[in-house]
Amino acid sequence: MKIAIGNDHTAIEMKQEIQKFLEEQGYEVLNLGTDEAVSCDYPIYGEKVGRAVVDGQADLGIAICGTGVGISLAANKVKGVRACVCSEPYTAKLSRMHNDSNVLAFGARVIGVEMAKMITQTWLDASFEGGRHQRRVDMIMDIENK
Ligand code: RB5
């Protein structure tokens, strides 16, 4: 499985730790984030991660900025993206099971690396339940066509 990962300047170390964590488990990682410790604009990286997922360059995406909010908002502007900001594993798990999230976002200024790893693992281990949740996800995606 291939995972696109993107980040702004606030999340370089967090991104590197998560990339290592994923690669150690055999995931292929497409690094679309910055590795330069200079202030940059998170929408660039949210869009990159979102497009990589929607275009099929990656199966799933992870987006990290200071809070996870800005970069997830940007990713969610890409048609087909369902990005969720998660600061704990329960929301991450349910975002896969019920919302079929395809981009996980979190904040490098909000959570620590170990929590980020646990959230990432939980998110990757969960899968979409379909059924009644499919109808609701379809309703969300229909909003993009209005
Ligand atoms: C950068 O200062 C910060 O605004 C950004 O990383 C993110 O938290 C935005 O939502």
Side-chain angles (χ1 to χ4, degrees):
M1 184 185 281
K2 198 164 178 176
I3 300 177
I5 192 163
N7 62 283
D8 71 1
H9 57 286
T10 67
I12 294 169
E13 207 182 312
M14 175 79 86
K15 184 271 303 288
Q16 289 167 350
E17 291 282 350
I18 296 298
Q19 179 168 0
K20 200 170 81 184
F21 178 68
L22 292 170
E23 287 172 345
E24 279 168 4
Q25 295 183 61
Y27 290 101
E28 198 180 334
V29 178
L30 180 62
N31 176 15
L32 300 174
T34 185
D35 285 288
E36 283 179 54
V38 285
S39 182
C40 63
D41 299 324
Y42 57 79
I44 294 167
Y45 304 102
E47 182 179 2
K48 278 182 191 237
V49 170
R51 292 213 183 281
V53 172
V54 166
D55 295 348
Q57 296 166 59
D59 300 292
L60 293 169
I62 297 178
I64 322 168
C65 64
T67 59
V69 173
I71 202 161
S72 66
L73 288 173
N76 272 319
K77 293 296 178 188
V78 178
K79 197 171 180 177
V81 168
R82 290 176 300 281
C84 301
V85 187
C86 300
S87 298
E88 35 70 34
Y90 180 81
T91 306
K93 183 173 181 172
L94 271 289
S95 83
R96 289 285 288 145
M97 291 171 67
H98 290 189
N99 315 116
D100 200 15
S101 60
N102 52 12
V103 174
L104 170 67
F106 44 78
R109 289 174 170 166
V110 178
I111 58 171
V113 169
E114 292 309 314
M115 177 60 93
K117 287 181 190 172
M118 191 179 287
I119 289 168
T120 300
Q121 188 71 70
T122 306
W123 186 70
L124 289 170
D125 288 347
S127 49
F128 184 49
E129 283 182 347
R132 69 187 190 281
H133 302 297
Q134 184 63 63
R135 183 181 72 249
R136 293 160 185 167
V137 170
D138 289 345
M139 288 171 74
I140 295 171
M141 304 324 286
D142 281 349
I143 297 169
E144 289 182 337
N145 299 318
K146 286 181 187 167

